[in-house]
PDB file of all heavy atoms in Angstrom:
ATOM      1  N   ALA U 192      71.856 121.103 154.337  1.00  0.00           N
ATOM      2  CA  ALA U 192      71.109 119.849 154.504  1.00  0.00           C
ATOM      3  C   ALA U 192      71.629 119.052 155.707  1.00  0.00           C
ATOM      4  O   ALA U 192      70.851 118.575 156.528  1.00  0.00           O
ATOM      5  CB  ALA U 192      71.198 119.023 153.229  1.00  0.00           C
ATOM      6  N   TYR U 193      72.956 118.929 155.806  1.00  0.00           N
ATOM      7  CA  TYR U 193      73.498 118.171 156.939  1.00  0.00           C
ATOM      8  C   TYR U 193      73.097 118.803 158.268  1.00  0.00           C
ATOM      9  O   TYR U 193      72.783 118.125 159.224  1.00  0.00           O
ATOM     10  CB  TYR U 193      75.030 118.117 156.872  1.00  0.00           C
ATOM     11  CG  TYR U 193      75.574 117.094 155.914  1.00  0.00           C
ATOM     12  CD1 TYR U 193      76.939 116.991 155.663  1.00  0.00           C
ATOM     13  CD2 TYR U 193      74.728 116.200 155.259  1.00  0.00           C
ATOM     14  CE1 TYR U 193      77.452 116.057 154.783  1.00  0.00           C
ATOM     15  CE2 TYR U 193      75.225 115.266 154.378  1.00  0.00           C
ATOM     16  CZ  TYR U 193      76.587 115.199 154.141  1.00  0.00           C
ATOM     17  OH  TYR U 193      77.087 114.274 153.273  1.00  0.00           O
ATOM     18  N   ARG U 194      73.115 120.138 158.266  1.00  0.00           N
ATOM     19  CA  ARG U 194      72.811 120.811 159.525  1.00  0.00           C
ATOM     20  C   ARG U 194      71.360 120.570 159.913  1.00  0.00           C
ATOM     21  O   ARG U 194      71.045 120.337 161.066  1.00  0.00           O
ATOM     22  CB  ARG U 194      73.081 122.304 159.386  1.00  0.00           C
ATOM     23  CG  ARG U 194      73.658 122.880 160.645  1.00  0.00           C
ATOM     24  CD  ARG U 194      74.260 124.222 160.407  1.00  0.00           C
ATOM     25  NE  ARG U 194      75.673 124.155 160.034  1.00  0.00           N
ATOM     26  CZ  ARG U 194      76.422 125.235 159.874  1.00  0.00           C
ATOM     27  NH1 ARG U 194      75.897 126.426 160.009  1.00  0.00           N
ATOM     28  NH2 ARG U 194      77.684 125.114 159.570  1.00  0.00           N
ATOM     29  N   ALA U 195      70.478 120.612 158.909  1.00  0.00           N
ATOM     30  CA  ALA U 195      69.061 120.406 159.200  1.00  0.00           C
ATOM     31  C   ALA U 195      68.793 118.971 159.641  1.00  0.00           C
ATOM     32  O   ALA U 195      67.879 118.712 160.414  1.00  0.00           O
ATOM     33  CB  ALA U 195      68.237 120.752 157.966  1.00  0.00           C
ATOM     34  N   ALA U 196      69.581 118.031 159.129  1.00  0.00           N
ATOM     35  CA  ALA U 196      69.297 116.625 159.418  1.00  0.00           C
ATOM     36  C   ALA U 196      70.219 116.069 160.502  1.00  0.00           C
ATOM     37  O   ALA U 196      70.262 114.871 160.722  1.00  0.00           O
ATOM     38  CB  ALA U 196      69.456 115.809 158.131  1.00  0.00           C
ATOM     39  N   ARG U 197      70.940 116.971 161.184  1.00  0.00           N
ATOM     40  CA  ARG U 197      71.999 116.496 162.063  1.00  0.00           C
ATOM     41  C   ARG U 197      71.502 115.537 163.137  1.00  0.00           C
ATOM     42  O   ARG U 197      72.072 114.469 163.347  1.00  0.00           O
ATOM     43  CB  ARG U 197      72.721 117.673 162.707  1.00  0.00           C
ATOM     44  CG  ARG U 197      73.969 117.243 163.439  1.00  0.00           C
ATOM     45  CD  ARG U 197      74.901 118.390 163.635  1.00  0.00           C
ATOM     46  NE  ARG U 197      74.204 119.512 164.260  1.00  0.00           N
ATOM     47  CZ  ARG U 197      74.692 120.738 164.320  1.00  0.00           C
ATOM     48  NH1 ARG U 197      75.861 121.004 163.802  1.00  0.00           N
ATOM     49  NH2 ARG U 197      74.024 121.700 164.888  1.00  0.00           N
ATOM     50  N   ALA U 198      70.404 115.914 163.826  1.00  0.00           N
ATOM     51  CA  ALA U 198      69.925 115.078 164.926  1.00  0.00           C
ATOM     52  C   ALA U 198      69.664 113.653 164.430  1.00  0.00           C
ATOM     53  O   ALA U 198      70.085 112.674 165.044  1.00  0.00           O
ATOM     54  CB  ALA U 198      68.662 115.675 165.527  1.00  0.00           C
ATOM     55  N   GLY U 199      69.004 113.561 163.300  1.00  0.00           N
ATOM     56  CA  GLY U 199      68.685 112.244 162.772  1.00  0.00           C
ATOM     57  C   GLY U 199      69.913 111.456 162.386  1.00  0.00           C
ATOM     58  O   GLY U 199      69.986 110.245 162.601  1.00  0.00           O
ATOM     59  N   MET U 200      70.892 112.147 161.819  1.00  0.00           N
ATOM     60  CA  MET U 200      72.092 111.429 161.407  1.00  0.00           C
ATOM     61  C   MET U 200      72.889 110.937 162.611  1.00  0.00           C
ATOM     62  O   MET U 200      73.429 109.833 162.597  1.00  0.00           O
ATOM     63  CB  MET U 200      72.936 112.323 160.490  1.00  0.00           C
ATOM     64  CG  MET U 200      72.318 112.433 159.098  1.00  0.00           C
ATOM     65  SD  MET U 200      72.864 113.874 158.166  1.00  0.00           S
ATOM     66  CE  MET U 200      74.559 113.471 157.864  1.00  0.00           C
ATOM     67  N   VAL U 201      72.942 111.763 163.647  1.00  0.00           N
ATOM     68  CA  VAL U 201      73.620 111.318 164.875  1.00  0.00           C
ATOM     69  C   VAL U 201      72.891 110.100 165.445  1.00  0.00           C
ATOM     70  O   VAL U 201      73.516 109.128 165.889  1.00  0.00           O
ATOM     71  CB  VAL U 201      73.669 112.466 165.914  1.00  0.00           C
ATOM     72  CG1 VAL U 201      74.219 111.951 167.237  1.00  0.00           C
ATOM     73  CG2 VAL U 201      74.522 113.589 165.396  1.00  0.00           C
ATOM     74  N   THR U 202      71.548 110.136 165.411  1.00  0.00           N
ATOM     75  CA  THR U 202      70.777 108.987 165.852  1.00  0.00           C
ATOM     76  C   THR U 202      71.216 107.729 165.121  1.00  0.00           C
ATOM     77  O   THR U 202      71.400 106.673 165.719  1.00  0.00           O
ATOM     78  CB  THR U 202      69.276 109.211 165.561  1.00  0.00           C
ATOM     79  OG1 THR U 202      68.896 110.430 166.153  1.00  0.00           O
ATOM     80  CG2 THR U 202      68.453 108.095 166.120  1.00  0.00           C
ATOM     81  N   GLY U 203      71.375 107.855 163.807  1.00  0.00           N
ATOM     82  CA  GLY U 203      71.780 106.701 163.012  1.00  0.00           C
ATOM     83  C   GLY U 203      73.115 106.145 163.484  1.00  0.00           C
ATOM     84  O   GLY U 203      73.275 104.928 163.636  1.00  0.00           O
ATOM     85  N   VAL U 204      74.064 107.047 163.742  1.00  0.00           N
ATOM     86  CA  VAL U 204      75.377 106.588 164.178  1.00  0.00           C
ATOM     87  C   VAL U 204      75.273 105.900 165.540  1.00  0.00           C
ATOM     88  O   VAL U 204      75.856 104.836 165.772  1.00  0.00           O
ATOM     89  CB  VAL U 204      76.366 107.766 164.230  1.00  0.00           C
ATOM     90  CG1 VAL U 204      77.705 107.310 164.789  1.00  0.00           C
ATOM     91  CG2 VAL U 204      76.547 108.353 162.848  1.00  0.00           C
ATOM     92  N   LEU U 205      74.476 106.497 166.438  1.00  0.00           N
ATOM     93  CA  LEU U 205      74.319 105.887 167.763  1.00  0.00           C
ATOM     94  C   LEU U 205      73.696 104.496 167.636  1.00  0.00           C
ATOM     95  O   LEU U 205      74.124 103.547 168.299  1.00  0.00           O
ATOM     96  CB  LEU U 205      73.435 106.764 168.651  1.00  0.00           C
ATOM     97  CG  LEU U 205      74.083 108.042 169.152  1.00  0.00           C
ATOM     98  CD1 LEU U 205      73.099 108.842 169.984  1.00  0.00           C
ATOM     99  CD2 LEU U 205      75.314 107.722 169.982  1.00  0.00           C
ATOM    100  N   LEU U 206      72.688 104.374 166.789  1.00  0.00           N
ATOM    101  CA  LEU U 206      72.062 103.073 166.603  1.00  0.00           C
ATOM    102  C   LEU U 206      73.073 102.069 166.050  1.00  0.00           C
ATOM    103  O   LEU U 206      73.085 100.895 166.439  1.00  0.00           O
ATOM    104  CB  LEU U 206      70.859 103.173 165.657  1.00  0.00           C
ATOM    105  CG  LEU U 206      69.629 103.843 166.240  1.00  0.00           C
ATOM    106  CD1 LEU U 206      68.524 103.921 165.199  1.00  0.00           C
ATOM    107  CD2 LEU U 206      69.135 103.094 167.467  1.00  0.00           C
ATOM    108  N   ALA U 207      73.928 102.547 165.153  1.00  0.00           N
ATOM    109  CA  ALA U 207      74.953 101.662 164.603  1.00  0.00           C
ATOM    110  C   ALA U 207      75.904 101.206 165.701  1.00  0.00           C
ATOM    111  O   ALA U 207      76.268 100.024 165.778  1.00  0.00           O
ATOM    112  CB  ALA U 207      75.713 102.368 163.485  1.00  0.00           C
ATOM    113  N   VAL U 208      76.290 102.129 166.584  1.00  0.00           N
ATOM    114  CA  VAL U 208      77.174 101.755 167.693  1.00  0.00           C
ATOM    115  C   VAL U 208      76.486 100.717 168.570  1.00  0.00           C
ATOM    116  O   VAL U 208      77.081  99.704 168.968  1.00  0.00           O
ATOM    117  CB  VAL U 208      77.552 102.990 168.540  1.00  0.00           C
ATOM    118  CG1 VAL U 208      78.378 102.569 169.744  1.00  0.00           C
ATOM    119  CG2 VAL U 208      78.321 103.978 167.705  1.00  0.00           C
ATOM    120  N   ALA U 209      75.200 100.958 168.851  1.00  0.00           N
ATOM    121  CA  ALA U 209      74.459 100.002 169.683  1.00  0.00           C
ATOM    122  C   ALA U 209      74.442  98.626 169.024  1.00  0.00           C
ATOM    123  O   ALA U 209      74.660  97.601 169.665  1.00  0.00           O
ATOM    124  CB  ALA U 209      73.030 100.494 169.900  1.00  0.00           C
TER     125      ALA U 209
END
Side-chain angles (χ1 to χ4, degrees):
Chain U
Y193 280 175
R194 217 165 270 185
R197 190 160 53 194
M200 285 159 68
V201 173
T202 306
V204 176
L205 287 178
L206 287 178
V208 176

